[in-house]
Amino acid sequence: MAESGDENLYAAARDIARALGKDPSAAGDILQILSGYGASSGNSRTTAARGGANVNLDRSLNSLERQISSYIVEDRPIWSDPVDSRNFLDAVDELIAVAGDLRSMAGDKSVAVCISRADELIQQVMFRLQEEFGYVMDRASESFDSDDDFSGEEDNDDTSYARPITDFKFVIEALQSSVIGDLNAIAIRMVAGGFGKECSRVYSSRRREFLEESLSRLHLRGLSTEEVQETPWQDLEDEIDRWIKAVTMVFRVFFPSERLLCDRVFSDLSVSSVTDLSFMEVCRGTTTQLLNFADAIALGSRLPERLFKVMDLYEAIQELIPKMETLFSNQYCLPLKHEADAIHKRLGDAIRGIFMELENLIRRDPPKTAFPGGGIHPITRYVMNYLRAACKSRQSLEHILDQTGNETGSDTRPLSVQIRWVLELLESNLEGKKRTYRDPALCFLFMMNNGKYILDKVSDNELGLILGEDWIVKHTAKLRQYHSSYGRSSWNQLVGLLRTESPYPKLVESLRLFKDRFDEVCLTQSQWVVTDKQLREELQSSVAGVVSPAYSNFISRLKESPEINGRRGEPFIAYTVEDLELRIKGLFKESSS
């Protein structure tokens, strides 16, 4: 009866502690107060009270040891039975509370053995809870609908249909609420027992597997740095497209969903860092895999054609940085955020290097042989299409060039100055190429063709806005100069044959010379190339505007010559004005063979 009374007194002490809003571990102190209530103060009664408390705690520990051991030795999972799991948790709570009570009397040598027993039993309990935590997660993953595919494709009657994802505002409910409740209950006890890191380790290992499986459905190849360096660029372009879709899905859907799940599983913990640690461990592997690919691209070749895909990588990370700042704001995740920032910067450095390499490409394209027909040279097409496409990412390029110059203190030029410099190099290169033509008229036609192409490429787009109206006006005037120089070098000399005031025999000779020279020029220039229809028609019109009136006046003077009187008929005139104009319309081809 006495033992039962002591146990009841201890239980009452715990109830009082709870009612006062104190930790149940304070029951030992309350028990001492109750044991000595109404008695006179004195060492003998205090010692007796402490001794009674020790006896009661020892008996409670014995009872808990028997109860808990019956669960620990079980082969089947405790959480396979809801009743067993509730009873086990109650026993664990009681054990943790008793251990707390014992530690509050740690100065008493008589309780040292009990503390050691309690700690050993807690360790056994924690190991079993760790197993149960894994069991609950594994059981949940087996029941989770593994057919959900986040790759953007769905199968129907053996046919794959693209289902592009444009709205990322949804959450993956990977675990049912009841499962989350069980995990949270276990996590609370493991953290209270000092096994928070072990709990986090089990949780993160299971969730990493889920993320890895989800990532594999996005068809990423998971290339190493060495494999990226060895893979042909064309294949890497496809991988970059997949990478951008994957990284967007990961940071807009997968990681926010994992953060929410972490917050729910590890809610109401006495140690909040477990939540942040678990989330970091879940995300670290996937984040590292994604960033390593981007880093390998950043460290790759600086060939100019790589600019656009590297820019896609840069802008994809740029758009996700605000999301990363939110998700990776805690102390454990900050290194991941810093690594993402560093790789984003290295991509920017790569873009700057690639863009600067365009200058070297122009310099390495020296004039060798004349380009057929004086048409638009491939280097002109390449550079202008390159610049036009690059300027679609104007803001990013401006930021990269400005930031790199500020950070390194180098002479990095702003984007507008850089583009003007590239175009100056291109024009200088074309000036060198025009000297490969023997015919001066073809030199100017070549410059006109390429100048017109350059102007067309800067009209009505970002490239034109960057260069500015003054640049466009200046180069439009330069194009008119090429046009005038072409006319002077080709047709003015020919027209000069028709502007003679010589006697009749000389006029006839001039007509013959004009016809021969006109036929020769038309034959030659009919093989020259003017790709732009508007320019071709303008040139034909300007030639006709110079030649036709002069020819018409010449024929009129010839027919009106006094020396024609008395002669038999008029001199032979091969072309009428209309014939002449028809021949002029045959000048220039649309493209070179």
Side-chain angles (χ1 to χ4, degrees), residues 64-85:
L64 288 169
E65 198 168 30
R66 288 191 300 271
Q67 184 180 357
I68 289 172
S69 296
S70 66
Y71 287 108
I72 290 178
V73 297
E74 283 279 359
D75 291 333
R76 65 179 181 84
I78 298 173
W79 258 257
S80 62
D81 186 324
V83 175
D84 285 347
S85 62

Side-chain angles (χ1 to χ4, degrees), residues 272-283:
S272 60
S273 61
V274 174
T275 309
D276 295 336
L277 175 63
S278 300
F279 177 68
M280 182 277 291
E281 291 291 351
V282 170
C283 299

Side-chain angles (χ1 to χ4, degrees), residues 380-396:
T380 305
R381 293 183 185 274
Y382 183 90
V383 170
M384 294 313 299
N385 286 318
Y386 191 95
L387 292 176
R388 183 172 175 134
C391 288
K392 291 179 181 178
S393 301
R394 173 183 178 180
Q395 290 185 344
S396 295

Side-chain angles (χ1 to χ4, degrees), residues 233 236-238 240-241 244 297 305-314 347:
W233 180 249
L236 286 178
E237 287 183 328
D238 295 335
I240 287 172
D241 290 338
I244 291 172
I297 295 293
E305 59 265 24
R306 296 192 171 203
L307 175 71
F308 308 107
K309 285 301 179 182
V310 178
M311 182 68 75
D312 289 344
L313 282 174
Y314 177 89
L347 284 169

Side-chain angles (χ1 to χ4, degrees), residues 10 14 18 23-25 92-102:
Y10 181 71
R14 292 184 58 76
R18 289 193 180 95
D23 191 288
S25 63
V92 172
D93 289 339
E94 191 75 15
L95 173 61
I96 292 173
V98 168
D101 294 340
L102 290 168

